[in-house]
Amino acid sequence: MDADDETFAPITDEVGANGGDEQRSRRPIISGDHLDIEAYASLYSGRTKIMRLLFIADHSSDEKVGNPSMNLEALRMAYDEIKKGENTQLMREVAQKINGRLGPSYELDSAWCDAVDHRAEQKKEKLDNELNAYRTNLIKESIRMGYNDFGDFYYAHGQLGDAFKSYVRTRDYCTTSKHIVHMCMSVILVSIEMGQFTHVTSYVNKAEQAPDALDPITIAKLRCAAGLANLEAKKYKLAARKFLETNPELGSHYSEVIAPQDVATYGGLCALATFDRTELKSKVIDNLNFRNFLELVPEVRELINDFYSSHYASCLEYLGNLKANLLLDIHLHDHVETLYDQIRHKALIQYTLPFVSVDLSMMANAFKTTVAELQKELEALITDNQIQARIDSHNKILYARHADQRNATFQRVLETGREFDRDVRSMLLRSNLVKHDYNVRQLRKL
């Protein structure tokens, strides 16, 4: 390649400005404090509150989280929350996990379990008799309500499979759009708890087919459910779009599934990992509705702004501080590493784009890493064809491979000429065939 076609200019001082936070007045980084379990649990209600606490208890001893003291605190709060409900199976599981470590007050309360189970048998028998009577009288609305009550009963007692079946059975007895939406929301709730996200997607679509029965809060709930389903399927860009479309009217109305802080965190991280700069600006930073959610989680707001402003060290520091708590999130836990890798790779790619050459020492300083580690990351991105560049390992400089514009233009012109020549020859051939009345007619089928 000629020198005119590919110029390797020496690195300039402006490289340090692209990500080098030492050249600007830095905002204080919020310290990565341990998760305030009580404040966190207060954002949720119902079964998801208990399941999130149990998830924290199970994962708080992981090396990446490193806070075993959370275990007993989460189990204690889960025990207290279960006592407010009717799920004796969960009570037995939690009591077994506590194993007497919290004293006699948090041991298995057999009397409470027996009393709850006895009341449950009586209530189930009553609901069964009522449903049989409704079936005999063939009153559709009463039958629908009977199955719905059975679904609520099973859900309260932790029998999610039976709850799902009961809610689905109400479908045949729905007479209005509101009934259909109510059925869909109940099925979505149970499906999320069961981890059956294909059902979530299906019933979100079904509910959206009755727009006349959807109010802003219900629409926001459907967006969140669809976002969770796409997140679980690792369709991060679709998940980001759904969370970004969520209206602030959601508030705490869906606390049995998700908190508004989660919408900001899930949507923000998925957007950072998948959106380009234009989308990040228009759909996230300038999104007035989503801004209301971001205000609830300042760390996510700041890291998004830092990423867009090319202040990568600050952005990655925010991410590092948030990581331990994100690993304790029941929905995000399995995706944290993937999202973090994608965000870091995007930052590395975006850093190199404006420059013909980059000093790896300065770049490593901007990303708070060593030159050796940075070189490995860049090599992987170059091999994957995500960065068009080559590395001078001796001088520790990254050289961008800029396309030979002059040669590419000549090639396009030659290809256009060949296509024109081929088209003209085809036209001349056809005109000669017509001139000499040489037509090939299709033979008739006998």
Side-chain angles (χ1 to χ4, degrees):
M1 186 177 291
D2 296 335
D4 293 336
D5 300 326
E6 181 177 3
T7 305
F8 296 135
I11 191 165
T12 62
D13 291 337
E14 71 176 315
V15 171
N18 188 12
D21 288 24
E22 58 274 7
Q23 295 191 7
R24 70 184 180 104
S25 58
R26 291 186 44 190
R27 293 184 297 276
I29 297 292
I30 298 175
S31 61
D33 295 331
H34 291 310
L35 183 66
D36 185 341
I37 301 179
E38 189 171 349
Y40 176 77
S42 67
L43 300 174
Y44 307 98
S45 63
R47 182 183 171 86
T48 193
K49 181 175 183 177
I50 299 169
M51 299 313 295
R52 285 173 181 268
L53 286 169
L54 293 180
F55 187 87
I56 291 173
D58 291 340
H59 291 80
S60 57
S61 300
D62 291 354
E63 288 184 13
K64 294 178 181 178
V65 178
N67 189 13
S69 62
M70 283 188 180
N71 178 271
L72 286 178
E73 177 67 11
L75 289 174
R76 181 187 64 78
M77 294 184 66
Y79 184 98
D80 291 337
E81 192 66 25
I82 292 169
K83 265 292 190 75
K84 300 175 185 177
E86 300 174 312
N87 195 334
T88 56
Q89 180 60 35
L90 264 183
M91 169 61 75
R92 293 185 176 92
E93 291 177 9
V94 171
Q96 186 177 1
K97 289 180 178 180
I98 293 174
N99 196 24
R101 291 178 294 165
L102 291 173
S105 299
Y106 289 91
E107 292 179 351
L108 178 61
D109 190 341
S110 300
W112 179 84
C113 291
D114 293 340
V116 170
D117 287 340
H118 181 66
R119 288 197 303 270
E121 286 296 326
Q122 292 178 327
K123 186 174 182 180
K124 184 178 180 182
E125 186 177 351
K126 178 186 175 184
L127 290 174
D128 196 34
N129 291 334
E130 289 177 351
L131 183 57
N132 288 332
Y134 297 150
R135 283 173 175 171
T136 303
N137 297 327
L138 297 176
I139 304 172
K140 291 188 72 172
E141 175 60 13
S142 297
I143 296 173
R144 184 187 73 83
M145 290 299 295
Y147 277 122
N148 196 68
D149 289 342
F150 253 117
D152 293 342
F153 170 81
Y154 286 129
Y155 181 76
H157 288 82
Q159 301 173 42
L160 300 181
D162 291 328
F164 179 84
K165 292 175 184 176
S166 296
Y167 286 136
V168 170
R169 283 173 183 163
T170 65
R171 178 181 178 181
D172 296 332
Y173 304 96
C174 292
T175 55
T176 66
S177 297
K178 285 188 177 181
H179 292 167
I180 294 173
V181 171
H182 183 270
M183 178 271 297
C184 289
M185 296 306 296
S186 298
V187 173
I188 288 169
L189 174 62
V190 177
S191 298
I192 290 174
E193 293 290 347
M194 294 171 66
Q196 300 291 334
F197 286 94
T198 51
H199 292 316
V200 174
T201 302
S202 175
Y203 281 90
V204 165
N205 293 334
K206 193 180 297 295
E208 289 176 341
Q209 291 173 10
D212 54 315
L214 298 176
D215 56 73
I217 294 175
T218 304
I219 293 172
K221 289 181 178 181
L222 292 173
R223 294 289 184 274
C224 289
L228 287 176
N230 285 310
L231 177 64
E232 186 64 26
K234 298 185 178 180
K235 298 176 181 177
Y236 299 126
K237 192 160 191 174
L238 288 175
R241 287 174 179 169
K242 292 300 180 182
F243 288 123
L244 292 172
E245 292 170 2
T246 304
N247 294 321
E249 286 87 353
L250 177 72
S252 59
H253 294 289
Y254 211 22
S255 60
E256 64 271 25
V257 172
I258 195 172
Q261 286 85 345
D262 295 331
V263 175
T265 304
Y266 300 169
L269 292 181
C270 289
L272 270 183
T274 57
F275 284 7
D276 58 31
R277 283 181 61 82
T278 304
E279 288 179 308
L280 198 63
K281 175 68 172 171
S282 62
K283 296 181 180 179
V284 182
I285 296 174
D286 293 340
N287 186 333
L288 295 178
N289 285 338
F290 194 66
R291 191 179 297 171
N292 291 313
F293 292 107
L294 287 176
E295 292 298 327
L296 301 173
V297 192
E299 300 94 328
V300 175
R301 181 195 65 207
E302 293 303 326
L303 72 87
I304 290 173
N305 288 329
D306 282 341
F307 186 92
Y308 183 76
S309 303
S310 301
H311 299 138
Y312 302 118
S314 175
C315 172
L316 295 174
E317 193 167 351
Y318 274 115
L319 286 171
N321 290 335
L322 286 171
K323 188 172 184 178
N325 290 345
L326 295 180
L327 287 169
L328 294 174
D329 186 281
I330 195 169
H331 294 298
L332 204 59
H333 175 269
D334 293 332
H335 309 281
V336 171
E337 296 295 344
T338 303
L339 290 172
Y340 269 47
D341 286 344
Q342 290 186 17
I343 292 169
R344 185 174 179 83
H345 291 166
K346 277 191 65 181
L348 291 170
I349 294 167
Q350 195 167 290
Y351 184 102
T352 62
L353 280 178
F355 304 108
V356 172
S357 63
V358 179
D359 187 320
L360 295 187
S361 298
M362 295 182 70
M363 188 174 179
N365 184 51
F367 281 88
K368 296 294 186 286
T369 186
T370 63
V371 173
E373 289 297 323
L374 176 64
Q375 190 167 326
K376 287 181 182 178
E377 291 184 88
L378 292 173
E379 286 171 0
L381 291 172
I382 292 170
T383 303
D384 200 31
N385 207 31
Q386 295 189 55
I387 293 180
Q388 306 297 321
R390 55 186 176 144
I391 298 174
D392 181 345
S393 298
H394 178 70
N395 295 314
K396 303 301 180 186
I397 295 176
L398 178 79
Y399 291 110
R401 290 184 181 275
H402 291 289
D404 184 351
Q405 299 292 342
R406 183 180 178 186
N407 184 53
T409 301
F410 279 127
Q411 292 298 327
R412 285 198 300 272
V413 170
L414 289 172
E415 181 61 29
T416 302
R418 284 192 289 268
E419 290 177 0
F420 180 76
D421 181 68
R422 185 174 61 251
D423 291 343
V424 170
R425 288 177 181 276
S426 298
M427 291 170 64
L428 289 172
L429 176 61
R430 186 177 184 281
S431 63
N432 282 328
L433 290 173
V434 172
K435 179 179 178 181
H436 293 89
D437 198 25
Y438 188 83
N439 297 321
V440 178
R441 301 179 184 277
Q442 186 178 5
L443 296 175
R444 289 187 178 180
K445 293 183 180 179
L446 297 176

